[in-house]
Amino acid sequence: MQEKAFQDYYPDHLSHCYGCGRLNEHGYHIKSYWNGDESVALFTPQPYHIALPGYVYGGLIASLIDCHATGTASAASYRKAGRDMGTEPALRFVTASLHVDYLRPTPLGVQLTLRGKVKEISERKVIVIVTVSAQGTVCAQGEVVAVKMPAHMMP
Amino acid sequence: MQEKAFQDYYPDHLSHCYGCGRLNEHGYHIKSYWNGDESVALFTPQPYHIALPGYVYGGLIASLIDCHATGTASAASYRKAGRDMGTEPALRFVTASLHVDYLRPTPLGVQLTLRGKVKEISERKVIVIVTVSAQGTVCAQGEVVAVKMPAHMMP
């Protein structure tokens, strides 16, 4: 893995996201990296990110999938364009739809591994598949349709 | 609306959820109520629940939909069985799948209204459709497949 995460390349005005913005002091600070053609993020939930005793809250899992996927969409778009991440104009994506299948309860107290794969990519839209694993077992799988951020949403 | 929310009837050992558990001091404390055949929850995001400046974080929206839907699944199951909520054995549901369409950016700084409708109900499975509105405009729509909590997940 390289040292700098996808999210570290986002310009400051796009770095306030609760899931992955480095400037959001309350947030999750999700960090995604390339590992070959796969994007990877590691995340250890807090003890209070609980659904039932012993299991991770599903809303957190959806959040992790969401931000890892939009980050992957951004990184994959730079890669496809042959551009370095962080160069302007920013290629930044928002979520059009999110689907999560909770395959089995996700154990709390261990590090989770998210792996993303680009299923489809065009200039305007990227579809990313993400798995969430705990101790080598896939607990949830998500599919995110990410679309290029509309100009009117740019701060 | 009645005074006691669906989630207030959950037994203590099932009330630790980050999204809706009354015993989770870090959580969102989502509260859902019947309004006729529709379930309703109101929620005002914190200023740090941000995606981009001015807009609500999509992962939070997914979380609200998730907990409002599983709460609705529980309440609808009690209603269908002609039982009072809170009576034993607890009818409690977990999320098998969650789908969210983000129709338009959700403005930050206003109260959000979630409305749930039961699309399908059987003893084992309840499908709930949830809309999330801000100032009268639907910003996101979700569909949750909720399944009866497996015995092995009961704490």
Side-chain angles (χ1 to χ4, degrees), chain A residues 16 18 48 50 96 98 100 102, chain B residues 16 18 24 50 96 98 100 102:
Chain A
H16 299 281
Y18 187 68
Y48 51 78
I50 188 177
L98 166 70
V100 181
Y102 297 93
Chain B
H16 298 282
Y18 187 67
N24 189 324
I50 188 176
L98 166 69
V100 182
Y102 297 94

Side-chain angles (χ1 to χ4, degrees), chain A residues 60-117:
Chain A
L60 174 68
I61 292 169
S63 300
L64 299 176
I65 289 172
D66 186 8
C67 282
H68 184 57
T70 50
T72 300
S74 174
S77 297
Y78 274 106
R79 200 179 241 197
K80 192 180 177 216
R83 289 175 48 191
D84 287 335
M85 279 203 83
T87 57
E88 295 286 341
L91 299 176
R92 186 80 164 84
F93 287 77
V94 292
T95 307
S97 76
L98 166 70
H99 184 91
V100 181
D101 290 311
Y102 297 93
L103 305 173
R104 54 182 57 78
T106 302
L108 194 63
V110 297
Q111 187 181 62
L112 305 179
T113 302
L114 288 98
R115 295 181 195 280
K117 278 188 183 151

